[in-house]
Amino acid sequence: MIGEDSALFREGLAALLASAGHEVVGRAATAAAAVAQVRAHRPDVVVLDVRMPSDDEGIEAALEIRAWDPPTPVMLLSQHIETRRTVELATGGAIGYLLKDRVLDVDQFLTALERVAAGGTALDPDVVSRLLGAARGGSVLGALTPREVEILALMAEGWSNGAIARRLYLSERTVETHTGSIFMKLDLAESPDGNRRVRAILAYLEATTA
């Protein structure tokens, strides 16, 4: 399901997804219509513009859709970096947040969308970099080494340990050691009711939006 107020972008995105073998079950130009379409069709994943047409309409729609049982995975698209409500959306996974320019890299966009549809996370590298850069000053994240910050950034984008290892030309065991160090420095003990990976991402999101 696509929620996007620009008809040109909406139809172009629908054509792109159809050509990749995906079925587009609904289109909407407003947040209210998008929510109604999701209720009607129960799609595998929703692609929403953050501003539809006013500030944060897409985010409000995403929060509503994610509050249902079961929640529907949401991929947010934005023209510019906006992080005010990212913490709420990042909790629990099955969320993506990409700049619209990323759609031009079709393979990267489709990979991110499929990751979100499967329950994962895909945050735009530019969003992650801005959050991390702001968070390091005076926050608990200042204890992390540059390599740990780099790995945390890739974790926030939704990369697995194996994928991070290949990206940084490290062994998977080395990445596991770094992630363990990140969890320790952020005081994230293992618990049956929380995902430490998600909580590590939330730690710096909360630092930048507090």
Side-chain angles (χ1 to χ4, degrees):
M1 214 300 295
I2 301 172
E4 165 63 54
D5 61 343
S6 167
L8 183 62
F9 190 85
R10 184 176 64 246
E11 295 308 312
L13 186 57
L16 185 157
L17 291 170
S19 69
H22 298 289
E23 180 184 3
V24 179
V25 297
R27 299 170 173 83
T30 68
V35 171
Q37 290 269 4
V38 175
R39 284 193 183 278
H41 297 293
R42 290 292 180 177
D44 295 320
V45 63
V46 184
V47 180
L48 290 176
D49 185 10
V50 169
R51 297 186 171 187
M52 221 179 15
S54 63
D55 291 1
D56 291 349
E57 254 191 47
I59 291 181
E60 294 297 336
L63 288 168
E64 180 177 347
I65 292 167
R66 287 279 304 281
W68 298 342
D69 186 18
T72 300
V74 176
M75 170 66 81
L76 285 168
L77 298 179
S78 179
Q79 193 68 43
H80 307 288
I81 298 174
E82 301 178 36
T83 60
R84 283 172 289 179
R85 310 295 297 278
T86 309
V87 172
E88 294 172 74
L89 285 167
T91 306
I95 186 71
Y97 190 152
L98 298 180
L99 295 180
K100 287 185 176 180
D101 288 347
R102 302 293 178 193
V103 180
L104 299 177
D105 187 330
V106 174
D107 290 340
Q108 179 181 335
F109 170 69
L110 292 175
T111 297
L113 186 64
E114 289 164 4
R115 185 190 305 150
V116 171
T121 302
L123 298 181
D124 194 281
D126 289 346
V127 174
V128 172
S129 295
R130 175 174 293 188
L131 291 170
L132 282 172
R136 282 183 63 79
S139 78
V140 67
L141 298 185
L144 302 183
T145 67
R147 176 63 88 184
E148 289 165 352
V149 170
E150 188 176 20
I151 288 173
L152 180 55
L154 292 172
M155 286 167 55
E157 290 174 36
W159 294 70
S160 67
N161 283 356
I164 292 172
R166 291 188 292 274
R167 174 76 173 266
L168 300 181
Y169 301 101
L170 301 171
S171 70
E172 190 167 348
R173 183 63 177 271
T174 297
V175 174
E176 290 172 357
T177 299
H178 282 303
T179 56
S181 177
I182 291 168
F183 297 150
M184 181 186 69
K185 290 178 180 179
L186 297 182
D187 196 25
L188 298 176
E190 279 194 86
S191 66
D193 59 350
N195 185 310
R196 289 196 294 176
R197 225 173 166 83
V198 172
R199 287 155 59 204
I201 295 169
L202 290 179
Y204 75 78
L205 292 178
E206 289 168 351
T208 58
T209 57

